[in-house]
Amino acid sequence: LDQVQRGNGSAAKFINDPAVYNNLNQATEKANTLMDSINNGNGTFGKLVKDLTGIDRLSGTGDFHVQLTGSGETLASIRKSLAGNVSFALKDGAIDGVNLWGAIRTAHALLRGQSPPSIGPQKTEFTALSGTGKIDGGILDNRDLLVKLPFLRVTGAGKLNLAAETIDYDATARVVGTPNFSSGENLTDLKGVD
């Protein structure tokens, strides 16, 4: 469209070029799917994250607000050009692929010279997850992540490159209580530890 608007080509040639049409059609479909997710204010946050980043590991419901601009002929070029703001506040969800309490329990046992306990599924359930971020050049910069789990708080800051699908992120977990596990593990010495 930019070439047509500047007079550097004919509209017919642009519209009839199958590669341009297919890329534009695919990008439009993805943008419409993304906008459906964004406009569904109390909808599934995991779908929005998947549509934006391709990452399918997060679930939860809550409020999210996204204000983005971007342009390009392909989805990859649109992701690279994204700019704007995002905020989210989720509740009662999960992060698939990691069992945070399982990792803490395993590290605790190994540091005490004990065998690691049996760990459940690779899933971390949370009661609340919130944060805000600015996006510039397709890179999301977040400085105020807060995740609340039973007996645990996680804070984080870092960057997510939406186009390259890479993460540079630091997170700190603080034990704020000690759960009772069926194995009878005593983790009271971890309370207050980061």
Side-chain angles (χ1 to χ4, degrees), residues 48-166:
L48 173 62
V49 171
K50 182 179 179 186
D51 290 341
L52 266 177
T53 67
I55 298 169
D56 189 17
R57 299 174 121 197
L58 185 64
S59 64
T61 58
D63 295 322
F64 47 90
H65 303 279
V66 179
Q67 182 180 23
L68 294 176
T69 59
S71 63
E73 293 182 9
T74 66
L75 186 57
S77 63
I78 292 170
R79 281 184 181 170
K80 284 181 186 177
S81 74
L82 286 176
N85 298 298
V86 60
S87 65
F88 52 91
L90 307 180
K91 60 183 180 181
D92 303 324
I95 303 167
D96 288 327
V98 63
N99 182 329
L100 192 52
W101 265 117
I104 291 170
R105 291 169 62 203
T106 298
H108 185 259
L110 293 174
L111 287 171
R112 297 178 119 204
Q114 301 170 348
S115 297
S118 176
I119 304 301
Q122 291 299 304
K123 185 177 202 174
T124 298
E125 294 181 351
F126 59 82
T127 56
L129 185 149
S130 63
T132 61
K134 292 187 180 213
I135 301 172
D136 186 29
I139 298 173
L140 169 65
D141 187 1
N142 165 259
R143 298 287 154 195
D144 62 354
L145 179 71
L146 175 62
V147 185
K148 294 181 179 181
L149 295 82
F151 310 105
L152 193 63
R153 298 295 177 266
V154 179
T155 56
K159 296 184 179 188
L160 170 65
N161 186 320
L162 300 173
E165 296 182 5
T166 58

